[in-house]
């Protein structure tokens, strides 16, 4: 997740970012350029891809004109996300004319969804590679070098890239993402992810702990464990038969170092257990923050969405979280205008937002995705202007809730991990508290640096930021 997106109207995917290590070292004969779209899983996959390419003797570059291999790691979650990528692809046309040997690859969820059809639709594309096929990139590249278009979109039941050490891209050296599982078995009616990412599988617990330990040893201070549905993480040792649940994994990662903060995303409300909540409560360094997407506040719509919980069940879960961890931050994802949604359903959504008192939310207009349960069974019948108005009401509600939540923090003191300069001023540090809120405070003349923990007392706030002063 990305603070730039907080409380913004989400009808398009996060902008692509050029991604390359800060220093390009070594004598690489060829260079790759990669842009990532969509969720953190995709950004994390780009770090695996970079690792595979580096092994093959490719250096990374941030300058697309320098690249021999241009890769787009794409997202299909909403139609706009795909349109953004297609537009970007068009911008590479003149580049390829100037440099005919340059290869263009489409990776990720759009590659998986459209398969070889992408080659027909986008003449520029030489490679189409799905999320479980990145190990075959080297052979696909040599095939494309020989002038043959190359496609591998096979999904796997086992692939977790557990043994590949990611090359950290665009890193601040403080926070990192660690993928703990792939795919999703949930089949929410609106969602394309089960089709683009395949079946759920959990990564070897020992390789996860080893990766987190390595990050801690390199000076990282925060890891975010990633999966579409982290609470259903379940790994069995192939020889000893030892079982590891998500709560056990969290516990192991938390024990690496008290200086290493642990976060995770995303939790499905149906799967988060008391065991996970008690594990969070037991460790100071497991951040008190849960992203718990509700999607809709209407039980009827939730049923159509195949979310498998009711509004009451969801609200009881929120209550349980606050019972066990009174200071826990909670955020959500919300879809406006799903098939058949009435004004009453919409009011139920706003009501659940109020009752849950979210600290922030990611909010979207429903976008029908080909092949999903909803596309096959229901009619996308809420008019665009109605979707838009409902989304605006949802955003306005969240903006007020975010401000109220921040106002309650005035006067409190938080432990903050410094991430870097504030965007507004080099005289100020920016960091986050355990609840994932952005905290900005003057540097004063203290000798501090990113990665340090400090105590900050909050004196004021905006809707998106807590402002305070160093204490102690
Ligand atoms: N696995 C995560 C979500 C992954 S997708 C989870 O279960 O919460 C991120 C968010 O995109 C979803 O939570 C949902 O709110 C939104 N989303 C997914 N499909 C969508 C669609 N077809 N239209 C609009 N929003 C969608
Ligand atoms: Fe999509 Fe549902 Fe899986 Fe999340 S849990 S990725 S919304 S199918
Ligand atoms: Fe998008 Fe694929 Fe992630 S569809 S949200 S990049 S899993």
């Amino acid at each position: 997740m990305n603070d730039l997106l907080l409380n913004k109207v989400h009808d398009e995917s996060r902008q692509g970012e050029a991604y390359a290590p800060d220093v390009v070292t070594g004598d690489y004969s060829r260079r790759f350029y990669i842009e990532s779209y969509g969720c953190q899983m995709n950004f994390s996959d780009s770090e695996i891809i970079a690792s595979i390419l580096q092994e093959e003797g490719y250096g990374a570059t941030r300058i697309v004109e320098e690249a021999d291999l241009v890769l787009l790691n794409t997202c299909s979650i909403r139609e706009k996300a795909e349109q953004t990528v297609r537009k970007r692809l068009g911008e590479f046309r003149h580049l390829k004319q100037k440099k005919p040997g340059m290869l263009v690859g489409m990776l990720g969820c759009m590659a998986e969804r459209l398969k070889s059809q992408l080659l027909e639709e986008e003449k520029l594309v030489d490679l189409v590679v799905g999320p479980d096929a990145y190990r075959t990139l080297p052979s696909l590249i040599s095939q494309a070098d020989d002038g043959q278009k190359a496609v591998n979109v096979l999904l796997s039941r086992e692939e977790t890239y557990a043994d590949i050490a990611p090359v950290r891209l665009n890193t601040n050296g403080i926070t990192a993402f660690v993928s703990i599982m792939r795919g999703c078995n949930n089949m929410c009616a609106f969602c394309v992810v089960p089709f683009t990412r395949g079946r759920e599988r959990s990564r070897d617990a020992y390789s996860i702990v080893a990766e987190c330990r390595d990050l801690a040893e390199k000076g990282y201070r925060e890891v975010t464990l990633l999966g579409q549905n982290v609470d259903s993480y379940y790994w069995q040792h192939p020889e000893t038969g030892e079982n590891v649940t998500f709560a056990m994994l969290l516990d192991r990662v938390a024990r690496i170092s008290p200086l290493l903060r642990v976060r995770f995303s995303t939790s499905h409300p149906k799967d988060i257990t008391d065991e996970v909540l008690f594990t969070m409560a037991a460790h100071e360094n497991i951040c008190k923050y849960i992203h718990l997407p509700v999607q809709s506040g209407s039980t009827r719509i939730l049923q159509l969405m195949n979310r498998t919980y009711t509004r009451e069940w969801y609200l009881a879960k929120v209550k349980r979280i606050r019972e066990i961890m009174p200071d826990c931050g909670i955020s959500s994802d919300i879809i406006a205008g799903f098939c058949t949604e009435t004004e009453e359903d919409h009011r139920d959504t706003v009501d659940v937002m109020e009752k849950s008192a979210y600290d922030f939310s990611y909010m979207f207009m429903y976008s029908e995705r080909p092949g999903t349960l909803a596309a096959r069974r229901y009619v996308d019948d809420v008019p665009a202007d109605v979707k838009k108005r409902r989304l605006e009401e949802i955003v306005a509600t969240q903006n007020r809730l975010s401000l109220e939540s921040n106002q309650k923090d005035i006067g409190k003191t938080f432990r903050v991990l410094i991430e870097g300069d504030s965007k507004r001023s080099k005289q100020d540090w920016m960091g986050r508290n355990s609840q994932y809120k952005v905290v900005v405070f003057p540097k004063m003349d203290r000798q501090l640096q990113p990665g340090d923990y400090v105590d900050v007392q909050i004196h004021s706030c905006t809707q998106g930021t807590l402002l305070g002063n160093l204490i102690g």
Side-chain angles (χ1 to χ4, degrees):
M1 277 159 296
N2 170 359
D3 63 290
L4 292 173
L5 296 181
L6 292 187
N7 299 357
K8 288 236 176 87
V9 175
H10 270 238
D11 54 359
E12 62 178 40
S13 141
R14 167 176 177 169
Q15 278 295 304
E17 281 176 32
Y19 245 26
D22 287 331
V23 194
V24 181
T25 50
D27 180 21
Y28 296 107
S29 56
R30 296 177 86 184
R31 302 214 172 269
F32 74 93
Y33 169 92
I34 187 163
E35 252 173 49
S36 309
Y37 295 79
C39 64
Q40 293 299 351
M41 293 291 292
N42 247 17
F43 283 72
S44 166
D45 280 1
S46 290
E47 301 188 327
I48 307 260
I49 293 159
S51 174
I52 292 169
L53 292 175
Q54 222 164 57
E55 282 289 303
E56 281 297 299
Y58 276 86
T61 174
R62 280 174 195 276
I63 304 159
V64 64
E65 287 80 9
E66 268 183 24
D68 306 289
L69 178 62
V70 174
L71 301 172
L72 292 180
N73 195 0
T74 63
C75 174
S76 286
I77 200 81
R78 283 165 291 276
E79 199 181 345
K80 270 272 178 66
E82 293 201 358
Q83 284 166 358
T84 309
V85 168
R86 287 197 196 254
K87 234 173 92 202
R88 184 71 179 125
L89 197 59
E91 291 167 17
F92 296 145
R93 199 152 290 134
H94 71 282
L95 266 179
K96 196 155 172 168
Q97 277 159 4
K98 273 194 265 170
K99 202 171 170 184
M102 184 185 100
L103 296 178
V104 176
M106 291 282 270
L107 316 177
C109 291
M110 226 174 131
E112 190 61 51
R113 191 178 85 72
L114 294 162
K115 306 187 169 53
S116 52
Q117 192 188 325
L118 251 183
L119 294 176
E120 284 151 37
E121 292 173 6
E122 305 284 352
K123 298 286 176 234
L124 204 65
V125 174
D126 305 290
L127 296 154
V128 177
V129 192
D132 286 345
Y134 298 142
R135 280 181 207 269
T136 65
L137 264 170
S139 65
L140 295 169
I141 292 168
S142 55
Q143 189 182 327
D145 275 338
D146 293 342
Q148 273 175 285
K149 304 260 175 185
V151 182
N152 188 351
V153 289
L154 284 177
L155 286 172
S156 156
R157 279 173 182 264
E158 287 96 35
E159 182 63 272
T160 59
Y161 301 109
D163 56 316
I164 295 180
V167 170
R168 302 290 161 190
L169 298 169
N170 266 21
T171 177
N172 57 8
I174 311 295
T175 58
F177 293 92
V178 175
S179 183
I180 65 163
M181 60 206 294
R182 299 181 71 82
C184 183
N185 284 356
N186 277 327
M187 290 292 176
C188 300
F190 50 79
C191 186
V192 78
V193 172
F195 303 93
T196 61
R197 294 261 160 183
R199 305 292 290 174
E200 180 187 294
R201 65 222 97 119
S202 295
R203 176 180 166 189
D204 179 327
Y206 288 90
S207 82
I208 296 168
V209 174
E211 186 176 327
C212 295
R213 181 170 294 122
D214 180 58
L215 284 164
E217 281 164 5
K218 289 187 171 126
Y220 281 80
R221 290 283 183 263
E222 186 178 294
V223 290
T224 303
L225 307 180
L226 287 182
Q228 295 298 350
N229 182 13
V230 288
D231 299 278
S232 74
Y233 177 90
Y234 182 77
W235 180 76
Q236 209 168 25
H237 195 293
E239 279 136 36
T240 63
E242 173 197 15
N243 299 320
V244 183
T245 62
F246 183 58
M248 291 158 79
L249 181 73
L250 260 185
D251 182 76
R252 288 184 194 185
V253 176
R255 285 175 195 280
I256 292 172
S257 160
L259 287 178
L260 186 71
R261 274 183 171 181
V262 188
R263 299 187 184 278
F264 54 89
S265 185
T266 300
S267 293
H268 194 300
K270 80 176 162 63
D271 291 317
I272 189 163
T273 58
D274 272 8
E275 206 192 343
V276 166
L277 300 179
F278 285 124
T279 308
M280 289 177 74
H283 293 275
E284 168 92 42
N285 60 331
I286 303 183
C287 291
K288 304 298 175 280
Y289 165 65
I290 299 177
H291 184 54
L292 196 73
V294 69
Q295 313 297 0
S296 166
S298 150
T299 295
R300 187 183 70 83
I301 293 291
L302 285 168
Q303 250 154 17
L304 288 180
M305 286 177 163
N306 199 23
R307 288 291 286 186
T308 73
Y309 51 84
T310 61
R311 101 191 228 104
E312 290 73 26
W313 199 94
Y314 181 89
L315 288 171
K317 197 50 98 176
V318 168
K319 188 159 164 261
R320 187 70 181 141
I321 292 169
R322 298 227 159 98
E323 259 165 33
I324 295 173
M325 291 172 287
D327 62 340
C328 192
I330 301 180
S331 61
S332 192
D333 289 348
I334 296 162
I335 297 177
F338 187 65
C339 312
T340 79
E341 187 187 76
T342 63
E343 286 305 315
E344 200 188 335
D345 295 321
H346 168 62
R347 280 195 297 274
D348 278 349
T349 296
V350 173
D351 184 62
V352 160
M353 294 176 71
E354 304 268 4
K355 292 204 164 85
S356 306
Y358 296 129
D359 297 300
F360 47 89
S361 291
Y362 300 84
M363 297 155 283
F364 317 94
M365 270 190 275
Y366 174 59
S367 161
E368 185 177 87
R369 308 310 294 129
T372 55
L373 216 78
R376 284 182 281 130
R377 289 205 197 142
Y378 318 136
V379 183
D380 180 12
D381 57 356
V382 178
D385 57 329
V386 176
K387 279 184 189 168
K388 187 160 168 275
R389 194 209 76 232
R390 289 182 189 163
L391 180 63
E392 282 164 4
E393 287 172 10
I394 286 169
V395 170
T397 303
Q398 186 54 57
N399 285 348
R400 179 170 47 75
L401 291 174
S402 296
L403 185 62
E404 284 169 10
S405 162
N406 282 354
Q407 281 166 343
K408 280 191 200 140
D409 288 338
I410 293 175
K412 290 185 193 164
T413 298
F414 292 108
R415 178 128 282 218
V416 173
L417 171 63
I418 301 178
E419 290 183 20
D421 288 343
S422 138
K423 273 185 221 113
R424 292 252 174 91
S425 159
K426 287 218 179 321
Q427 312 304 313
D428 292 342
W429 288 121
M430 171 272 171
R432 283 179 202 272
N433 67 4
S434 179
Q435 290 73 14
Y436 202 60
K437 287 187 180 176
V438 172
V439 182
V440 170
F441 54 96
K443 291 183 178 176
M444 315 295 282
D445 47 8
R446 299 261 299 271
Q447 293 301 308
L448 293 167
Q449 55 182 10
D452 286 346
Y453 287 100
V454 289
D455 291 324
V456 179
Q457 186 171 32
I458 307 307
H459 59 67
S460 56
C461 70
T462 65
Q463 180 196 302
T465 311
L466 298 177
L467 303 162
N469 286 313
L470 283 164
I471 60 162

